[in-house]
Amino acid sequence: MKKVIVTSLFAIGSMCMKAQSYLGYLTDNYSGIHGVVANPASIVDSRFKTDINLVGLSVLGTNDYYGINVLDAIKDGYDFDLNAVKTPLEHNNIVVNTDILGPSFMFNMGKKSALAVFTRLRAFANINDINGDSIDNLEDDLDANDDFSINEGDFFVAGNAWTEYGISYASVFMNKGKHFLKGGFSLKYLQGLGSVYSYGKDVAVNFEAKGTSLGGGLFTTGSLDSSGRITYGHFDDVETDNYKYEQPKNATGFGADLGFTYEWRPKYATFSSTSADGETNMQKDKNKYKLKLGLSITDIGYINYGDGMERTYDITNNVDEDSIVNEDSFQDILDNLYREIDSKNTIKAALPTAFHLNADWNFNNLLYLNVNMDFAVVSKSAGNASSVANVVSITPRYESKWFSFYVPLSSIQYSGFQVGAGLRMGPLYFGSGSIVSILGSDTTKSADVYAGVKIPIYESGSKNKNDVSLN
């Protein structure tokens, strides 16, 4: 019986399973086309004539319930129930973010503007405010015939996947001596690949295993007493027997990103050269700033599923165990045993809108220190909405044209402090914002990895061959 209840209440979560993508790599001035991920202004006045990404993958997961030894977990025979360290809270949370940057490119159009075209495949899973004690109790007694209670309260679960086809434009707004300002925007056409979500209000469940006494030591089957409201939505008819996935035909939307970058260039004059005809040119292959500040907002928009379905149910009722067991699906349980109070035949999936702040200090054109903050704008309680995990990171790095090395030190929402490392070597980039922490911890609650390959075409050096130090 408990397996049925667990499946019913947490089915959405099992079907689902930003912090920032490419943690550490995006701080690099040679990240190129990847710059549009966090700030579309980055592509103008870059160190590239053009940058062509072939494929890149970033995956990140963070939670505050399970802590594991990752190196042991990848081995055969690892028992998550016995070996994982659990931290049940009244409000446990999980965020999983997958970001694939497909064939994409950027190029400069003259001195003051740049254009990028990109493709992305993205997937988010958000599980918020799940009562950890309830999960723990159900896992401990899953096969037992004991009474149990779930005082869930409010919970929010959403899983969304989509593709993006985008174009970015950036331009220099101001270039006056020490002060340099640029801005950019991205427009994205979105194709929904799937959306499943559920959220509850004041949900409580009590199961009595023995049921009602009939006398003589006989009892009816167990009974389930519940209260509260549950909203359940999904694209297509995913509850159909033998369902086979097909890409939704009526699931599209639009998104937008907007960003600005200011650079303080106290020694701007040393980066200039004069041509034979008297024209003054700045060195395109050099970083000219001592301090760079960035501000952006990303993923404004939503996807509309014209063939979706959303239902809200009042689950205040007492039903017997057999009635639940005899239903074929979670949807049938809701439809046949509880009262529907609202319905919609279309659903909207909100993008994981986020606000980004970035500061980059240039010590001597090879050593840098970056401070970055990513904050979710969409509330985790917004229904069918993806949401990034908030991140604050400090990343020291060594950076040159063909090679960069960075060590992100991050505080990630739900999982705490993480240390990682990453490399860029010409066309290759790979790393993790948590690899150092993973190797040294038995209770890892966050893990990420990214890797990819591109074709970088750098700006050539100017006639002025003198290296410039910003010290």
Side-chain angles (χ1 to χ4, degrees), residues 26 28-29 31-47 106-108 111-116 118 167-174 180-187 256-263 265 292-298 356 358:
L26 297 186
D28 195 337
N29 287 299
S31 63
I33 180 62
H34 283 77
V36 300
V37 170
N39 190 334
S42 66
I43 60 174
V44 70
D45 190 53
S46 75
R47 307 289 74 81
M106 59 138 291
F107 61 93
N108 285 295
K111 297 180 180 179
K112 294 186 177 182
S113 60
L115 189 72
F118 59 91
I167 184 169
S168 300
Y169 175 80
S171 180
V172 175
F173 293 160
M174 179 178 68
F180 179 87
L181 179 66
K182 58 185 180 179
F185 65 88
S186 297
L187 297 177
D257 307 332
L258 179 66
F260 300 91
T261 299
Y262 166 79
E263 295 182 5
R265 300 175 168 182
K292 179 172 68 174
L293 302 174
L295 180 153
S296 64
I297 184 168
T298 57
H356 312 273
N358 189 277

Side-chain angles (χ1 to χ4, degrees), residues 168-305:
S168 300
Y169 175 80
S171 180
V172 175
F173 293 160
M174 179 178 68
N175 188 5
K176 295 183 178 180
K178 298 179 181 179
H179 306 291
F180 179 87
L181 179 66
K182 58 185 180 179
F185 65 88
S186 297
L187 297 177
K188 303 182 282 190
Y189 174 76
L190 312 172
Q191 174 66 58
L193 299 178
S195 178
V196 184
Y197 62 97
S198 181
Y199 53 92
K201 179 70 174 177
D202 297 325
V203 174
V205 176
N206 291 285
F207 175 64
E208 294 184 3
K210 290 184 179 180
T212 304
S213 175
L214 298 175
L218 299 176
F219 293 84
T220 63
T221 58
S223 62
L224 187 76
D225 185 65
S226 59
S227 61
R229 290 187 300 169
I230 288 180
T231 297
Y232 175 43
H234 56 75
F235 78 103
D236 207 353
D237 196 2
V238 297
E239 291 287 346
T240 302
D241 290 340
N242 301 318
Y243 172 76
K244 294 183 179 180
Y245 174 80
E246 293 183 3
Q247 182 172 321
K249 297 179 180 178
N250 190 14
T252 59
F254 294 93
D257 307 332
L258 179 66
F260 300 91
T261 299
Y262 166 79
E263 295 182 5
W264 178 52
R265 300 175 168 182
K267 296 186 177 182
Y268 71 96
T270 60
F271 292 97
S272 64
S273 60
T274 303
S275 63
D277 58 6
E279 182 179 3
T280 299
N281 297 300
M282 300 298 288
Q283 292 177 278
K284 295 181 179 181
D285 62 320
K286 298 292 185 181
N287 296 323
K288 308 164 192 67
Y289 65 88
K290 184 70 174 178
L291 175 65
K292 179 172 68 174
L293 302 174
L295 180 153
S296 64
I297 184 168
T298 57
D299 291 321
I300 303 167
Y302 63 87
I303 301 169
N304 184 71
Y305 285 83

Side-chain angles (χ1 to χ4, degrees), residues 332-379:
D332 288 340
I333 291 173
L334 293 174
D335 285 338
N336 299 329
L337 303 179
Y338 301 101
R339 182 171 65 92
E340 182 182 306
I341 57 178
D342 194 16
S343 65
K344 299 177 182 178
N345 291 324
T346 62
I347 63 175
K348 289 183 178 180
L351 298 183
T353 309
F355 185 68
H356 312 273
L357 292 172
N358 189 277
D360 201 52
W361 185 261
N362 182 350
F363 286 99
N364 62 2
N365 281 341
L366 290 176
L367 299 177
Y368 296 76
L369 183 66
N370 185 275
V371 178
N372 185 78
M373 292 174 281
D374 304 307
F375 299 109
V377 174
V378 177
S379 170

Side-chain angles (χ1 to χ4, degrees), residues 1-2 5 138 146-150 205-208 224:
M1 173 60 195
K2 287 190 179 181
I5 304 301
L138 286 169
D146 296 331
D147 298 346
F148 69 92
S149 296
I150 301 175
V205 176
N206 291 285
F207 175 64
E208 294 184 3
L224 187 76

Side-chain angles (χ1 to χ4, degrees), residues 391-408:
V391 177
V392 177
S393 62
I394 299 175
T395 306
R397 74 182 186 277
Y398 173 89
E399 176 185 296
S400 63
K401 178 181 289 189
W402 288 100
F403 176 82
S404 292
F405 175 71
Y406 22 87
V407 181

